[in-house]
Amino acid sequence: MKKRYKILVTNDDGYEAKGLLSLAETLREIDGVDVVVVAPANEKSACGHSLTLTRPLRFVSVGDDFYKLEDGTPSDCVYLSLSTMFADEKPDLLVSGINRGSNMGEDITYSGTASAAMEGVLHDIPSIAISQVMDFSDPSGDYTLAAKTIKDIVIKIKESTFPLPKREFLNINIPNSVDEAQMVVTYAGYRFYANDSHVHRNPRGEEHYWLGLHPLNFSPRVGKEGMLSDYEAIESGCISVTPIMLDMSAYQSVSRVQNWLDMTE
């Protein structure tokens, strides 16, 4: 009997998120594929690559091969899945998403969606993070193009091979309000950040703060002329496919730091 192709699915929007449910349903349509969903019980957006070390965690079954992890992060979902339900055999692929909102530029470092893919490649599992750019005033969101895109990509991987070496993953962003789009390979853009917060006071006069949302302001990176950044691809109505590596060493600055150290001795 031919071996079934196993995919672990997670997200950072929570186990009831429309994007996650759309992703799982789409992947289950592929012949020869088994999908296991392990997602946070609550939204964990912008939690980064965090693991929970100060309290125990618990899987709760919410359907066939579908689990929520009580108060767990996306990285927890991957880590615990691999040490329990996949202890004997790793999944063939990990897909994190479909995230509600973009994950481009340095936002990747904040993203729970991208961090689940990071956790996957740390364990030598080919991994993909996929996000749907959208207008947040629309409470529903349309994941049709995102679902079609990830289905096509997973079929390509299943029938051939994953295109990246170890400790690299694909970060995919889908443009908003388009039915079809060309896929382009991009690099992570240079994001401009604000420092916005909003103060509120409870009936006792105690102050509480909400962190504000940053506008999507990007700039091309110096030395990357001739390539599109993820943001430029999205702005032009294309699907952005960005290879991301976990090695954050600034190799081009090694000699500069060495010279600086030599000067201070």
Side-chain angles (χ1 to χ4, degrees), residues 2 8 11 14 17 23 32 35 52 58 72 83 135 149 160 166 172 174 183 192 212 227 229 233 236-237 240 253 257:
K2 189 174 181 180
L8 174 60
N11 75 341
L23 173 61
V35 175
T52 302
R58 183 171 70 99
S83 64
D135 178 1
T149 299
S160 56
K166 290 184 176 183
I172 301 172
I174 308 295
M183 282 190 278
F192 294 106
M227 290 181 64
S229 70
S236 63
S240 168
S253 297
V257 174

Side-chain angles (χ1 to χ4, degrees), residues 118-227:
M118 293 179 193
E119 188 66 26
V121 296
L122 283 177
H123 298 276
D124 294 333
I125 299 164
S127 299
I128 303 169
I130 180 166
S131 303
Q132 172 65 62
V133 181
M134 63 175 55
D135 178 1
F136 281 94
S137 64
D138 178 1
S140 57
D142 184 0
Y143 297 92
T144 305
L145 179 58
K148 179 183 182 303
T149 299
I150 194 62
K151 184 176 183 180
D152 290 344
I153 286 176
V154 169
I155 289 172
K156 186 175 180 66
I157 293 169
K158 178 176 177 288
E159 293 180 350
S160 56
T161 186
F162 190 68
L164 298 175
K166 290 184 176 183
R167 303 213 174 191
E168 295 185 14
F169 68 94
L170 291 176
N171 186 52
I172 301 172
N173 283 274
I174 308 295
N176 190 28
S177 301
V178 296
D179 297 325
E180 294 183 8
Q182 176 188 1
M183 282 190 278
V184 294
V185 181
T186 62
Y187 67 88
Y190 187 100
R191 176 84 187 269
F192 294 106
Y193 286 94
N195 190 231
D196 186 29
S197 64
H198 303 271
V199 64
H200 297 266
R201 290 175 175 81
N202 67 17
R204 296 182 180 179
E206 297 169 327
E207 291 185 351
H208 300 268
Y209 291 87
W210 283 97
L211 300 187
L213 290 175
H214 304 294
L216 285 176
N217 293 328
F218 283 81
S219 172
R221 292 188 187 274
V222 175
K224 301 300 182 191
E225 295 79 6
M227 290 181 64

Side-chain angles (χ1 to χ4, degrees), residues 3-259:
K3 178 181 174 291
R4 303 280 293 179
Y5 191 85
K6 296 183 179 180
I7 303 177
L8 174 60
V9 167
T10 191
N11 75 341
D12 74 355
D13 290 325
Y15 77 103
E16 296 178 301
K18 181 179 176 182
L20 175 79
L21 301 178
S22 175
L23 173 61
E25 179 182 0
T26 297
L27 295 181
R28 284 178 173 140
E29 294 172 356
I30 302 173
D31 265 353
V33 164
D34 290 333
V35 175
V36 177
V37 180
V38 182
N42 310 104
E43 183 177 347
K44 293 291 182 178
S45 296
C47 69
H49 195 180
S50 59
L51 291 173
T52 302
L53 304 179
T54 58
R55 60 186 178 275
L57 298 168
R58 183 171 70 99
F59 292 113
V60 177
S61 176
V62 294
D64 293 339
D65 289 328
F66 195 140
Y67 304 87
K68 66 177 180 179
L69 188 63
E70 290 289 355
D71 205 28
T73 67
S75 296
D76 286 329
C77 292
V78 177
Y79 186 98
L80 284 179
S81 297
L82 298 181
S83 64
T84 55
M85 58 190 73
F86 290 102
D88 296 329
E89 185 178 21
K90 292 179 182 178
D92 297 289
L93 183 69
L94 181 148
V95 184
S96 180
I98 302 167
N99 187 66
R100 183 171 180 263
S102 65
N103 278 305
M104 301 185 291
E106 289 89 350
D107 279 356
I108 296 166
T109 64
Y110 290 109
S111 167
T113 304
S115 293
M118 293 179 193
E119 188 66 26
V121 296
L122 283 177
H123 298 276
D124 294 333
I125 299 164
S127 299
I128 303 169
I130 180 166
S131 303
Q132 172 65 62
V133 181
M134 63 175 55
D135 178 1
F136 281 94
S137 64
D138 178 1
S140 57
D142 184 0
Y143 297 92
T144 305
L145 179 58
K148 179 183 182 303
T149 299
I150 194 62
K151 184 176 183 180
D152 290 344
I153 286 176
V154 169
I155 289 172
K156 186 175 180 66
I157 293 169
K158 178 176 177 288
E159 293 180 350
S160 56
T161 186
F162 190 68
L164 298 175
K166 290 184 176 183
R167 303 213 174 191
E168 295 185 14
F169 68 94
L170 291 176
N171 186 52
I172 301 172
N173 283 274
I174 308 295
N176 190 28
S177 301
V178 296
D179 297 325
E180 294 183 8
Q182 176 188 1
M183 282 190 278
V184 294
V185 181
T186 62
Y187 67 88
Y190 187 100
R191 176 84 187 269
F192 294 106
Y193 286 94
N195 190 231
D196 186 29
S197 64
H198 303 271
V199 64
H200 297 266
R201 290 175 175 81
N202 67 17
R204 296 182 180 179
E206 297 169 327
E207 291 185 351
H208 300 268
Y209 291 87
W210 283 97
L211 300 187
L213 290 175
H214 304 294
L216 285 176
N217 293 328
F218 283 81
S219 172
R221 292 188 187 274
V222 175
K224 301 300 182 191
E225 295 79 6
M227 290 181 64
L228 284 179
S229 70
D230 44 15
Y231 181 73
E232 290 171 308
I234 291 297
E235 281 291 282
S236 63
C238 295
I239 296 167
S240 168
V241 181
T242 312
I244 300 294
M245 64 190 301
L246 268 60
D247 183 353
M248 293 186 287
S249 305
Y251 293 105
Q252 70 276 12
S253 297
V254 168
S255 59
R256 180 183 303 154
V257 174
Q258 185 62 61
N259 291 337

